Amino acid sequence: MADWLIRQFGGDAASPWAWVVYAGVALFQAVVILAVVMTIVAFATWVERKVAGRIQDRLGPTRVGGRFGWLQPLADGLKLLCKEDLIPRDADGFLFRLAPYAAFAPAFAVFLALPFADGWVAQHLNIAVFFILAVAGLEVFGIILGGYASGSKWSLLGAMREGAQVVSYEVPLTFSAVIPVLIAGTMDLTAIGNMQRGWFWNWFLFHDPFTFAAFWIYMTCATAGTNRAPFDLAEAESELVAGFHTEYSGFRWSAFYMGEYASMTAFSGLAAILFLGGWNGPIPVLSAVGLTAASGPLAGFLGNLLGSVNFLAKCLAGVVFMMWLRWTLPRLRIDQVIAMCWKYCFPLVCAAFVGAVLWTYFFPGGLIFGRPLGTVPEVASPSAPRVAAAGAANRAGNGGGRTIASAPQAAGEGRGSYRAGSAALGAEGSRPKSVPEGRSGG
Amino acid sequence: MDWNWVFFIILAAITVTSAVAAVITSHIVRMAFYLVVCLGGVAGLFFLAGAYFLGAVQLMVYVGGTVVLIAFGVMLTARTPFVRMQTTPDQWLLGLATAATLSAVLVQANLRFPRPADPPPAVTEPAVSPGGLGTALLGLRIDAASPAEEGTDGAASLGLAYLLPFELVSVHLLTVLIGAAYLARPRRPTGTESEGRREAAWGQSGGPDAALAALAAAQDGGS
Amino acid sequence: MIDPPLTQIPLAAYLLVGVVLFVTGITCMIAKRNLIGILIGIELVLNAGTINLAAMSSPFVAGSSLPPLDGQIFALFVILLAAAEAAAALAIALTFYGGYATIDVDHGDRLKG
């Protein structure tokens, strides 16, 4: 998206004002991301109230803004803005003021590298997975800072717990995120998403039993990493009043709150791309009706739009899953939380890692339905010229119609520097690379 | 003036300002905060230099890991909330004298650095991919390592790869892990005065939370 | 990602940032008597080194002479060793605190005799 914008506004590096264009585009993207994230966060708070209500056999918000309480987040926001802004006398004022932003900014910065659809990303990074995990891990510093600066023992205890918990859970979280990276052979999220194109058994979730296990470990660790119940020891109300944000009120408190929801969304989004096929639906409808970039810019745009809706739906499913956990399970004790990480999650994810490596080596085709790895399944519509050459052989076999062909040539010219990179590594030596498989679909 | 320069100046200013602020402040947690800002600025400089993987490692290991560790250290060793460090004037004098001497020497060396005579050329060279780094750590260089080696095949560049240092660093990390756990292990209270509150709490009721509670209670009483 | 032609930044500019970090780190180590403060100074000094390594191997820096991989790999090693060093130093600080109930390094003079 950035490239397109820059080209539109003549971001010619030779012109002396090129940097103004770049800065303007960057600012525009920041505003867009902020708007999207804030909308998601507001929606998620409403969903949380509704889900909690339904699980507890209540109705949840019903009054504000019609029958379903749609405008409840707005009312909440207004209420929070109008609240008195307190700073305790014994607090360290400077750090106390800064901490909420230090907690919120990383959760927001994660979306910089998170693609919403093929190519719809603010900054395309070839290490996007790593970048997201690294930046998401910074949120804990804001929380530690806030807890310490409050000058209250509840806050300090909550902050220490949060620090211990997040630093511990980062290890299995990163390990389980490495497994799909290992299968894909790239850390580029756009490429990983595009590799899972086609039917839902192409998703890495169904690649082999170990990725399936890794997904659940990932979701557990993401719940713990975002400090949600049943792992919300940092704000355990029954013991610590409100944990690290005991002394916070009004807007500063809501910054922590928004940070929590934004990072929940970010972790769910990462899970959606790594395991759940990203912007590719379970059934390749979009390609079947020709809404791909290959059939023209407008079709590509529409396809991306629907793809991003798909992605957001998966994101939201992950968020609702976390909420479901929160309102179903009782809170653990702090020693149980740490034991859960090091005694269960970590060995399990190590086993899954080794298992996924072995599976990829012995069964490079994935589970039963799998395509040969290293090829991107391409649904060839009759008007797609770029797969015509590859699809010709297949079409001869199954008599025309719509053909799902995994076309090595198409894979080679698709976006993704990963292809050149992994070809250069010779990493694909053991994979059957040039087996065009034809399946009739439709 | 193009945007490369703009971002360089912004990031360098952030880095330098926060580094200086970290030295000036006497408040240890603020010092850790300025360190975070400084390290974040350095990560930004890495990104600007095209070292994306390095920047992400800096964010993850340094900012996300090391500084959190430091913050833990501050809280576990604090006797009163908001510890302040007293620096006596003679120490400041010594520090400033050293700083002045060092900067004189280093800036002098920096100025003597041969600079390109003509305006620097524009580059479109892509950044190093993480795959290249990974294979180099595993003992295979896929980039054209040096002009002397061009024309030879990949096997010839094995000598320049980093398999052995990689293994050494892994073993070193393991050693440090065990050593740190051994050093900081909880010990039984021996009853001497110097054992300190923290260890007493560890020994009696066991578990980190009890120790933290004791620490927090002590802090609360102190304020 | 679009790769517009970029003006190279002279190596001296990066090295200057490195100089500032190095000098502030050394000053920090001299002026602070707190063990954690000294640790922070060490981190600053190590970061000065990493900046220099990354800049010297970057294709975006005029006058860089190292091949792109070498500087980055050495910088990676520096970061990893710095993390290990911080963990060890912190363990020492906790042990020190257990023994002296302070982490002011001036109190750790029992070996002086």
Side-chain angles (χ1 to χ4, degrees), chain A residues 19 22-24 26, chain B residues 1-14 41 44-45 48, chain C residues 9 14:
Chain A
W19 65 274
Y22 276 89
Chain B
M1 187 86 164
D2 78 7
W3 65 280
N4 216 8
W5 264 111
V6 174
F7 284 119
F8 177 80
I9 289 170
I10 293 174
L11 288 169
I14 291 175
L45 285 177
L48 199 65
Chain C
I9 291 168
Y14 271 93

Side-chain angles (χ1 to χ4, degrees), chain B residues 31-182:
Chain B
M31 206 172 155
F33 172 74
Y34 289 129
L35 181 68
V36 165
V37 178
C38 175
L39 298 183
V42 172
L45 285 177
F46 287 163
F47 275 99
L48 199 65
Y52 297 142
F53 189 78
L54 196 57
V57 167
Q58 168 97 357
L59 283 181
M60 185 167 233
V61 176
Y62 242 124
V63 187
T66 308
V67 180
V68 170
L69 214 62
I70 288 178
F72 257 80
V74 171
M75 294 181 198
L76 283 176
T77 54
R79 307 189 63 187
T80 54
F82 311 134
V83 199
R84 291 190 168 274
M85 294 169 292
Q86 281 82 30
T87 304
T88 51
D90 55 328
Q91 276 166 349
W92 273 125
L93 203 63
L94 187 61
L96 285 180
T98 319
T101 323
L102 260 180
S103 21
V105 171
L106 289 175
V107 170
Q108 177 72 10
N110 200 355
L111 288 180
R112 288 192 181 189
F113 208 88
R115 58 185 63 239
D118 18 325
V123 280
T124 52
E125 214 171 326
V128 181
S129 78
L133 284 177
T135 43
L137 285 177
L138 290 180
L140 183 67
R141 292 291 293 260
I142 57 167
D143 60 333
S146 59
E149 290 198 339
E150 271 177 20
T152 61
D153 54 346
S157 64
L158 270 178
L160 266 176
Y162 293 96
L163 185 57
L164 184 64
F166 182 63
E167 295 294 331
L168 283 179
V169 166
S170 340
V171 175
H172 180 264
L173 280 180
L174 181 66
T175 318
V176 167
L177 192 70
I178 297 172
Y182 174 77

Side-chain angles (χ1 to χ4, degrees), chain B residues 2-5 8 12 15-16 19-20 22-26 28 31-32 35 38-39 42 45-46 48-54 57-58 61-62 66 69-70 72-74 76-79 83 85-88 91-92 94-96 98-100 102-103 106-107 110 113 115-116 120-129 132-133 136-137 141-146 160 162 165-166 169 172-173 176 179-181 183-184 187 194-199 215, chain C residues 1-106 110:
Chain B
D2 78 7
W3 65 280
N4 216 8
W5 264 111
F8 177 80
T15 311
V16 166
V20 173
V23 176
I24 291 175
T25 182
S26 66
I28 186 114
M31 206 172 155
L35 181 68
C38 175
L39 298 183
V42 172
L45 285 177
F46 287 163
L48 199 65
Y52 297 142
F53 189 78
L54 196 57
V57 167
Q58 168 97 357
V61 176
Y62 242 124
T66 308
L69 214 62
I70 288 178
F72 257 80
V74 171
L76 283 176
T77 54
R79 307 189 63 187
V83 199
M85 294 169 292
Q86 281 82 30
T87 304
T88 51
Q91 276 166 349
W92 273 125
L94 187 61
L96 285 180
T98 319
L102 260 180
S103 21
L106 289 175
V107 170
N110 200 355
F113 208 88
R115 58 185 63 239
V123 280
T124 52
E125 214 171 326
V128 181
S129 78
L133 284 177
L137 285 177
R141 292 291 293 260
I142 57 167
D143 60 333
S146 59
L160 266 176
Y162 293 96
F166 182 63
V169 166
H172 180 264
L173 280 180
V176 167
L183 272 179
R187 263 161 288 191
S194 64
E195 274 294 315
R197 271 194 302 270
R198 189 182 63 81
E199 305 218 329
L215 174 72
Chain C
M1 194 175 93
I2 199 164
D3 276 324
L6 303 173
T7 326
Q8 287 183 323
I9 291 168
L11 182 57
Y14 271 93
L15 294 189
L16 204 61
V17 179
V19 166
V20 174
L21 285 199
F22 185 82
V23 170
T24 46
I26 294 279
T27 317
C28 198
M29 284 197 272
I30 291 174
K32 310 282 176 187
R33 296 288 88 199
N34 184 312
L35 204 60
I36 308 275
I38 293 175
L39 188 60
I40 290 177
I42 295 175
E43 303 297 344
L44 285 176
V45 169
L46 289 175
N47 262 274
T50 14
I51 287 189
N52 286 6
L53 283 171
M56 283 178 186
S57 68
S58 167
F60 298 103
V61 175
S64 58
S65 48
L66 286 176
L69 278 185
D70 292 301
Q72 292 197 25
I73 285 180
F74 270 100
L76 274 181
F77 285 146
V78 170
I79 291 177
L80 294 183
L81 293 180
E85 165 258 327
L90 207 64
I92 292 173
L94 288 186
T95 318
F96 191 87
Y97 182 74
Y100 295 86
T102 174
I103 50 169
D104 191 332
V105 286
D106 284 341
R110 201 181 276 176

Side-chain angles (χ1 to χ4, degrees), chain A residues 270-283:
Chain A
L270 190 59
I273 298 180
L274 286 181
F275 293 98
L276 299 178
W279 44 90
N280 302 299
I283 301 167

Side-chain angles (χ1 to χ4, degrees), chain A residues 86-93 149-150 247, chain B residues 82 223:
Chain A
L86 283 176
I87 296 180
R89 198 191 54 212
D90 286 341
D92 181 337
S150 294
E247 308 293 341
Chain B
F82 311 134
S223 64

